């Protein structure tokens, strides 16, 4: 009998997201006393995604607060080549409580320039609000031609494009976040083809964050595996 897993499917919208809401890209919430996270060289990370945990209806997931995914905007998008769990090029932050006196202007002033600030490098091309819906996936859903594992989601089965960085006995089997490449194209009024990227990992790849379920229950985000790959 095939295994089934619940997940939250994420849909990106063009609405202006709140600094306290679920969003992809943009300016991330931080308490008054906290600065933007940095790597050892002092380069700031950038907000990849922010999840308002009240939007997520999954067992063992936090019921309140904000869960954030920050990455370095270099050519590897913060990926640790020698250790996919080394939170130098990326950082997971959990804010159990939100201070609504924080303003977007205040957060903007906390962001300083990096040597890597090239809009074409960072995988998210803008800022997007997120809508979520509960779904259920089965191992039988997978097919190479049209995988139901694709898309943006929390939980469920990951879409593995080329290589699964986890060993067969790795306990980090919960998909904390999957962000897929997200792009589209239309014919413009002038007859030219308009291509729009919202998210692009390398050559149309997929980004993943994995965590142990027991660690998730304990709100311990110190041992998260981050990996992205091309298709």
């Amino acid at each position: 009998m095939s295994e089934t897993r619940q997940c939250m499917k994420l849909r990106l919208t063009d609405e202006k997201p709140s600094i306290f809401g679920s969003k992809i890209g943009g300016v991330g919430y931080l308490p008054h006393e906290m600065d933007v996270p940095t790597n050892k060289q002092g380069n700031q990370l950038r907000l990849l995604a922010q999840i308002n945990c009240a939007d997520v209806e999954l067992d063992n997931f936090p019921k309140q607060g904000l869960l954030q995914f920050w990455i370095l905007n270099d050519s590897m998008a913060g990926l640790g080549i020698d250790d996919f769990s080394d939170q130098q090029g990326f950082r997971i932050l959990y804010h159990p409580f939100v201070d609504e006196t924080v303003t977007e202007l205040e957060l903007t002033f906390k962001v300083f320039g990096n040597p890597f600030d090239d809009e074409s490098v960072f995988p998210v091309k803008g800022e997007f609000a997120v809508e979520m819906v509960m779904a259920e996936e089965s191992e039988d859903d997978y097919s190479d031609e049209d995988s139901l594992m694709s898309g943006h989601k929390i939980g469920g089965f990951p879409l593995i494009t080329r290589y699964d960085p986890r060993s067969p006995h790795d306990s980090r089997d919960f998909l904390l976040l999957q962000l897929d490449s997200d792009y589209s194209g239309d014919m413009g009024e002038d007859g030219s083809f308009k291509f729009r990227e919202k998210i692009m990992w390398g050559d149309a790849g997929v980004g993943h964050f994995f965590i142990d379920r027991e660690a998730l229950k304990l709100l311990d985000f110190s041992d998260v595996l981050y990996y992205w790959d091309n298709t």
Side-chain angles (χ1 to χ4, degrees), residues 13 31 55 76-77 98 111 146 154 166 178 205 213 228:
T13 78
D55 296 337
M76 294 301 294
V98 171
V111 178
D146 183 19
I154 299 168
R166 299 168 296 166
Q178 173 174 292
R213 292 172 190 268
W228 68 270

Side-chain angles (χ1 to χ4, degrees), residues 54-231:
D55 296 337
V56 181
E57 304 172 21
L58 296 175
D59 292 340
N60 304 326
F61 208 85
K63 304 304 179 190
Q64 65 180 36
L66 297 177
L67 182 62
Q68 296 176 326
F69 303 78
W70 299 78
I71 65 171
L72 189 64
N73 55 333
D74 64 355
S75 60
M76 294 301 294
L79 188 66
I81 301 301
D82 299 319
D83 182 356
F84 300 134
S85 303
D86 182 8
Q87 291 197 34
Q88 279 300 312
F90 79 99
R91 196 73 44 78
I92 308 298
L93 295 183
Y94 174 61
H95 307 284
F97 304 103
V98 171
D99 183 347
E100 295 191 356
T101 66
V102 172
T103 67
E104 184 166 1
L105 181 61
E106 174 188 352
L107 296 172
T108 301
F109 281 132
K110 292 185 177 185
V111 178
F112 299 99
N114 275 349
F116 314 109
D117 280 332
D118 179 350
E119 195 171 317
S120 66
V121 170
F122 196 68
V124 178
K125 316 300 182 183
E127 181 183 29
F128 308 95
V130 171
E131 294 178 350
M132 298 191 197
V133 61
M134 174 77 83
E136 188 173 87
E137 295 180 337
S138 166
E139 288 177 303
D140 293 339
D141 291 335
Y142 182 83
S143 75
D144 288 331
E145 294 181 357
D146 183 19
S147 173
L148 297 180
M149 310 307 183
S150 63
H152 320 302
K153 60 186 175 181
I154 299 168
F157 293 92
L159 174 63
I160 303 299
T161 52
R162 294 185 181 181
Y163 166 70
D164 190 335
R166 299 168 296 166
S167 70
H169 305 294
D170 197 322
S171 65
R172 293 168 295 188
D173 66 341
F174 183 83
L175 185 57
L176 194 60
L177 179 68
Q178 173 174 292
L179 279 186
D180 205 346
S181 288
D182 192 326
Y183 52 93
S184 60
D186 338 86
M187 196 64 73
E189 293 182 2
D190 60 356
S192 63
F193 187 76
K194 308 291 185 183
F195 185 74
R196 185 190 181 194
E197 295 180 355
K198 292 183 177 180
I199 302 176
M200 183 61 69
W201 298 94
D203 185 15
V206 186
H208 298 107
F209 296 84
F210 297 99
I211 192 171
D212 178 274
R213 292 172 190 268
E214 290 302 314
L216 178 61
K217 279 198 279 188
L218 296 172
L219 305 179
D220 179 1
F221 299 98
S222 61
D223 185 25
V224 171
L225 188 152
Y226 161 54
Y227 185 76
W228 68 270
D229 203 351
N230 292 311
T231 54

